[in-house]
Amino acid sequence: MSQNVDFGSHGRHLLQNDSYGAAAYCFYRAILEGNPNGSPWNGIVLSLSLMRKEQDSMTMLARYGLQEQQDYDKDMVTFAIMIWQNNPKVLYEWLRAVVAFQGVNEQDKSMLTEMADDLEKAYLDLIEKHGQEALDQQGMVGLKEFAARRVELDWLLDEDIDKIFNHLKAWTEDPENALHGVRFLCMLPDPRSEKLLRRVARNEEIDPKVRTHSLLAMRWLGIRGNARISKFGESFVIDLNEPKPELTVSVPQAFKPALDRMKLWMAKQQGFVTQEEYEAHASTDEATLPEELESKVNEADIPGILQEVAHMLIRSAYDQYYPLVPTVTGNREWAAAFLMLMKDYAKGFSIEWPYGEPELTEVSAQHRNWLLSASPDFYASIEAARSQSAVQNG
């Protein structure tokens, strides 16, 4: 990439075109060049978040909070509240730092100060209840500790680029380290990155999930056109301009209606939705919930940790079998499969499950088994947690 590039502006262009990895690289370079504008910080936190690099995203957000003479960016407050909602210590320290930035109006200054005071009080209450050592063990560290953590892109500061590519080449040829290599290559705009990623996609010795991620990494790098991936002894060509099936690090859109029905069932079991209302929608394959039902579902208690269990299992199976993934029809049966697995997880980890027995059918059991086939350690992890809990409880 030319040394005369305006990295901040180019990063914005890449971000708008879903090239999140190349965008993160550009924003990182803009930050290193000392661009006083806050937008590179906003851009890199957003880019890393979209790639689900949560730890790196938190680190860059913390570093933003420690900048001197920095421009205030209200969007960064939204990021911070979302990312650190369970860590009042780092959040109140970050808010106190941001109040001193340039361009903070009096209304925002008052709001941020009040929020920081409330969070500090909440943190002190936690210390009184649990003790400082217990909170430290939970990872509830402060702003400077977060900012001091390394991000993947910091590697560019430590080593010559040719040496970095030598390391990455070795990683991508090693089944144990291939994923680490792929996750870094997506942020390194260089012809060598594309070459290595294409090799990973065709290497059947590499885990199938990593091969899928190599396609995603190419898209994040800004590569478009056709790419070949080898799976199950066959070769498939994927158009990176508009990949079909969908290529994503999140839950594929095709599963969203089934997840809505999962939540609809949980709302019914809590009395927010009647049996008649449930049947009227669950027996169809309509893509979206009617507005009235959606409002009722939003009132129900649907723990995020249990929803993430379903999301994790979907993503794992999707990555494993891509592009040979199922066409999602019969959303009611898919929803029942999610609920069965969530129930088993909740019981294993002693999480309350007030939702009754899911609708077990032959089809829903088949869907459950498909999801489990890509996560063979699912029940082993539950049993390990149960055993550990039994030991702790004597």
Side-chain angles (χ1 to χ4, degrees):
M1 190 173 288
S2 169
Q3 296 299 311
N4 297 320
V5 168
D6 178 345
F7 283 105
S9 297
H10 192 53
R12 285 289 161 192
H13 171 75
L14 291 164
L15 186 57
Q16 291 168 4
N17 287 279
D18 300 336
S19 302
Y20 309 133
Y25 169 85
C26 287
F27 292 130
Y28 185 83
R29 288 290 302 271
I31 289 167
L32 291 182
E33 290 178 355
N35 189 328
N37 191 324
S39 63
W41 291 98
N42 180 304
I44 196 167
V45 171
L46 178 57
S47 299
L48 293 169
S49 297
L50 289 168
M51 293 187 289
R52 299 183 70 87
K53 293 177 180 285
E54 288 89 356
Q55 293 301 316
D56 282 4
S57 183
M58 284 191 273
T59 297
M60 296 309 297
L61 189 61
R63 291 180 185 180
Y64 167 79
L66 292 177
Q67 300 302 301
E68 295 182 1
Q69 301 299 312
Q70 183 61 255
D71 288 340
Y72 173 61
D73 184 342
K74 195 168 186 176
D75 289 341
M76 297 291 268
V77 177
T78 304
F79 277 131
I81 292 171
M82 178 177 64
I83 288 177
W84 287 320
Q85 57 184 307
N86 296 318
N87 188 335
K89 180 179 183 180
V90 68
L91 186 52
Y92 86 72
E93 291 181 356
W94 188 89
L95 290 171
R96 290 253 166 82
V98 169
V99 164
F101 282 3
Q102 301 179 63
V104 186
N105 62 44
E106 289 304 317
Q107 182 179 358
D108 282 2
K109 186 175 293 188
S110 175
M111 176 194 70
L112 296 176
T113 301
E114 183 178 351
M115 192 182 303
D117 290 343
D118 290 343
L119 287 163
E120 183 175 16
K121 182 179 183 303
Y123 177 65
L124 293 175
D125 289 344
L126 287 173
I127 291 177
E128 185 175 346
K129 183 176 181 180
H130 301 288
Q132 182 74 59
E133 185 177 350
L135 298 182
D136 290 345
Q137 289 176 351
Q138 293 175 25
M140 199 171 289
V141 299
L143 184 61
K144 289 183 179 180
E145 289 87 349
F146 261 104
R149 293 175 175 177
R150 287 181 59 81
V151 299
E152 290 175 312
L153 285 167
D154 287 341
W155 199 6
L156 298 173
L157 300 176
D158 300 333
E159 201 159 351
D160 175 78
I161 191 66
D162 292 331
K163 290 183 179 179
I164 290 175
F165 270 107
N166 286 337
H167 287 300
L168 292 171
K169 181 177 183 296
W171 284 2
T172 55
E173 293 170 352
D174 176 5
E176 296 296 321
N177 291 304
L179 181 59
H180 299 298
V182 166
R183 286 182 62 81
F184 189 81
L185 285 166
C186 76
M187 299 185 294
L188 205 54
D190 188 290
R192 290 170 287 186
S193 296
E194 178 178 355
K195 183 177 180 180
L196 290 175
L197 289 170
R198 289 186 183 275
R199 284 181 181 175
V200 171
R202 299 192 303 267
N203 185 353
E204 295 228 36
E205 294 182 4
I206 299 298
D207 186 281
K209 296 172 187 175
V210 178
R211 278 175 264 159
T212 299
H213 275 269
S214 70
L215 295 181
L216 192 57
M218 284 187 244
R219 271 190 58 81
W220 288 344
L221 200 54
I223 298 165
R224 298 297 182 262
N226 289 340
R228 191 174 296 276
I229 184 171
S230 297
K231 289 278 186 82
F232 321 112
E234 298 184 55
S235 182
F236 304 90
V237 175
I238 304 298
D239 180 3
L240 295 177
N241 294 294
E242 293 185 29
K244 294 180 181 178
E246 180 186 3
L247 195 57
T248 176
V249 73
S250 301
V251 176
Q253 287 293 325
F255 286 92
K256 294 298 178 64
L259 288 167
D260 282 344
R261 280 161 182 76
M262 174 194 81
K263 291 187 282 188
L264 184 64
W265 166 270
M266 298 171 86
K268 172 180 74 74
Q269 296 299 97
Q270 295 178 78
F272 292 96
V273 173
T274 67
Q275 182 69 34
E276 292 74 20
E277 289 173 320
Y278 172 77
E279 290 293 344
H281 185 74
S283 58
T284 74
D285 258 358
E286 294 177 11
T288 57
L289 285 172
E291 187 174 335
E292 182 180 353
L293 272 186
E294 184 176 10
S295 176
K296 292 181 178 181
V297 168
N298 289 338
E299 294 181 52
D301 178 23
I302 305 177
I305 188 172
L306 295 182
Q307 293 186 63
E308 184 55 33
V309 171
H311 296 175
M312 178 272 294
L313 290 166
I314 292 169
R315 290 196 303 265
S316 182
Y318 199 84
D319 287 346
Q320 177 80 12
Y321 297 110
Y322 188 91
L324 299 179
V325 292
T327 301
V328 183
T329 58
N331 291 312
R332 183 173 186 159
E333 286 78 14
W334 278 104
F338 305 151
L339 288 162
M340 284 187 273
L341 293 165
M342 290 162 63
K343 175 177 173 289
D344 289 346
Y345 182 92
K347 295 293 185 181
F349 283 87
S350 301
I351 299 172
E352 186 180 5
W353 180 264
Y355 311 107
E357 291 297 324
E359 301 173 312
L360 176 60
T361 67
E362 183 178 350
V363 174
S364 62
Q366 290 172 353
H367 293 333
R368 176 193 60 191
N369 293 341
W370 180 78
L371 292 163
L372 284 173
S373 67
S375 298
D377 59 346
F378 180 70
Y379 284 109
S381 65
I382 291 175
E383 185 56 38
R386 185 184 287 116
S387 299
Q388 183 178 7
S389 177
V391 170
Q392 290 175 346
N393 295 329

